[in-house]
Amino acid sequence: MMIGLRSVGAGQGGVEAHVDNLARELDALGLAVEIVTRSPYQNEHEVRGVATRIVPVWSPRTTSLEAIVHSILATLRAGWRRPRILHIHAIGPALVAPLARLLGLNVVVTHHGEDYEREKWGVLGKRMLRFGEWCGAKFSARRIIVSRSLAERLTLHFGVPFVWIPNGVKMAQPVFSVGVLKRFGLSPGGYILNVGRIVPEKRQLDLIDALDRIERPEIKLVLVGAADHESDYSRTVVARAAADPRVVLAGFQTGLSLAEFFSHAGVFALPSSHEGLPIALLEAMAYGNPIVASAIEANRNVGLPESSYVPCGEIASLADALNRALDHSAKEARIDWSGLMKDYQWPDIASRTLALYRDVAPEVGRAS
């Protein structure tokens, strides 16, 4: 059983995409998976693959209570259902690891990043997330982490091993259709693409500011994603976009529409101040996009050329890098990033995860 996410199949964010893809691969390996999601985001039960079930369970839709209340309810469900492994995703939901152990469950936690570094959290929220990180470290049978460098640091800090198993990506072939581009008034190669939630740490406002410095009136900025909860930041992004016809708010996109956005982007930009291991960045690489990313540790772990990185928050540097990438995109074919992506293949990630489960419960995924 997997808990700690909002939904699957609706494009919300990195943890959701991670669980969705991991469950599909585990299903293919013969493992029955139950994914417990939050009913405000996913209202219907669903059976996917051979043995994967998606089960929405009620949660409040408030920033401060949503994750912990749902995680408690999901853990109580696990106590009733008795899965061989309860896999908790992210350090906020990991607060329930002690409860899960008290219920006699085998607990695995995946640490998706230092969420207490996100700008949206106040002092109390940051402390609770750090406490969740501690609970995950001390009360789980095994600990997975998506960041290689963070794995080393937290292993030393907590004195227990964190196993590096990264996010993954499926190698993609660019699509030729342009239906979603026509709908938003875009042309192939004529836009900068950003994919992610509209939250402060994604720094979409930096991209809007950088666009003001790019003297190419034909170039637009496409922001794919939305805010889960309206905030001062999300309202500011919406207002800035409304004031600039070159900024396109595309909302959440999945499937063919998202593939079209990636396939025809002039450059993919990720100026974030915080990431775990950014799935959107890996997806952009899979489509061969030129990349501009902030030089934070999580993005550097991917191993892009130095020219792809810019200091976080430096608007002039961001604009210069975007200009260079647009020049490259206009002259060259798609970039072959496959040499950097050998560690991020979902079948291998699922096999490593299943092996870790079997360290805890050897019968997992085997016929009774």
Side-chain angles (χ1 to χ4, degrees):
M1 181 182 291
M2 297 191 186
I3 70 172
L5 65 155
R6 290 181 174 91
S7 69
V8 291
Q12 271 87 355
V15 174
E16 287 77 11
H18 179 102
V19 171
D20 192 2
N21 284 288
L22 178 60
R24 289 176 189 272
E25 296 293 341
L26 290 172
D27 185 279
L29 293 174
L31 184 66
V33 180
E34 182 173 302
I35 305 171
V36 181
T37 59
R38 302 175 196 172
S39 61
Y41 302 91
Q42 189 149 35
N43 292 318
E44 296 182 0
H45 288 62
E46 181 181 342
V47 177
R48 177 179 293 178
V50 177
T52 297
R53 299 197 313 150
I54 300 167
V55 180
V57 168
W58 179 85
S59 76
R61 192 165 181 172
T62 60
T63 303
S64 57
L65 294 176
E66 178 182 304
I68 186 59
V69 170
H70 185 263
S71 297
I72 291 171
L73 294 176
T75 302
L76 293 175
R77 176 180 174 82
W80 167 59
R81 293 277 294 163
R82 311 308 299 175
R84 288 173 173 170
I85 297 288
L86 177 65
H87 192 160
I88 304 172
H89 289 268
I91 59 174
L95 282 163
V96 300
L99 172 61
R101 289 298 296 274
L102 186 65
L103 293 172
L105 298 169
N106 293 317
V107 179
V108 172
V109 169
T110 291
H111 191 310
H112 286 268
E114 299 164 302
D115 289 344
Y116 42 78
E117 300 292 349
R118 296 186 186 275
E119 297 174 33
K120 69 178 181 178
W121 296 114
V123 174
L124 179 60
K126 290 177 184 291
R127 287 179 178 173
M128 291 303 292
L129 287 166
R130 286 187 179 276
F131 183 52
E133 182 182 64
W134 181 86
C135 289
K138 297 300 184 182
F139 289 90
S140 58
R142 294 293 186 275
R143 294 145 295 273
I144 298 170
I145 194 160
V146 300
S147 166
R148 191 196 303 264
S149 56
L150 194 55
E152 298 170 359
R153 191 158 69 245
L154 292 184
T155 294
L156 289 173
H157 179 72
F158 288 109
V160 292
F162 281 76
V163 178
W164 177 65
I165 303 179
N167 287 326
V169 67
K170 293 181 178 178
M171 296 306 296
Q173 290 296 325
V175 299
F176 295 101
S177 58
V178 293
V180 73
L181 271 64
K182 290 180 178 178
R183 191 160 76 245
F184 286 99
L186 302 167
S187 59
Y191 58 93
I192 300 161
L193 177 66
N194 173 265
V195 178
R197 288 193 180 102
I198 307 297
V199 290
E201 62 270 16
K202 297 296 185 182
R203 302 188 74 92
Q204 288 93 350
L205 291 177
D206 286 7
L207 287 172
I208 296 174
D209 289 339
L211 187 67
D212 288 338
R213 294 171 177 255
I214 296 175
E215 297 179 358
R216 300 174 186 238
E218 76 283 3
I219 294 297
K220 294 186 177 183
L221 169 64
V222 178
L223 303 178
V224 174
D228 292 326
H229 304 278
E230 192 177 75
S231 65
D232 289 343
Y233 179 81
S234 67
R235 285 189 288 269
T236 300
V237 171
V238 171
R240 290 286 303 277
D244 188 341
R246 292 200 294 164
V247 180
V248 176
L249 295 180
F252 285 124
Q253 300 288 337
T254 59
L256 179 60
S257 293
L258 184 58
E260 288 183 4
F261 276 126
F262 275 119
S263 296
H264 301 293
V267 56
F268 177 83
L270 191 72
S272 311
S273 60
H274 172 79
E275 295 284 349
L277 178 63
I279 290 179
L281 176 58
L282 297 178
E283 289 176 333
M285 294 169 67
Y287 281 96
N289 293 153
I291 307 287
V292 173
S294 54
I296 60 174
E297 183 178 59
N299 291 340
R300 282 191 171 279
N301 282 341
V302 176
L304 297 169
E306 191 61 31
S307 59
S308 293
Y309 294 114
V310 296
C312 184
E314 291 193 10
I315 306 303
S317 298
L318 178 59
D320 288 345
L322 290 171
N323 260 319
R324 291 194 300 272
L326 288 165
D327 285 339
H328 181 279
S329 180
K331 297 173 183 176
E332 306 289 341
R334 302 270 107 177
I335 298 174
D336 181 6
W337 296 112
S338 58
L340 295 178
M341 301 184 71
K342 60 184 183 299
D343 289 329
Y344 307 112
Q345 304 306 305
W346 277 118
D348 177 60
I349 290 165
S351 294
R352 291 166 62 187
T353 302
L354 180 56
L356 182 140
Y357 289 167
R358 287 174 174 164
D359 283 346
V360 179
E363 71 279 10
V364 166
R366 296 190 171 104
S368 299

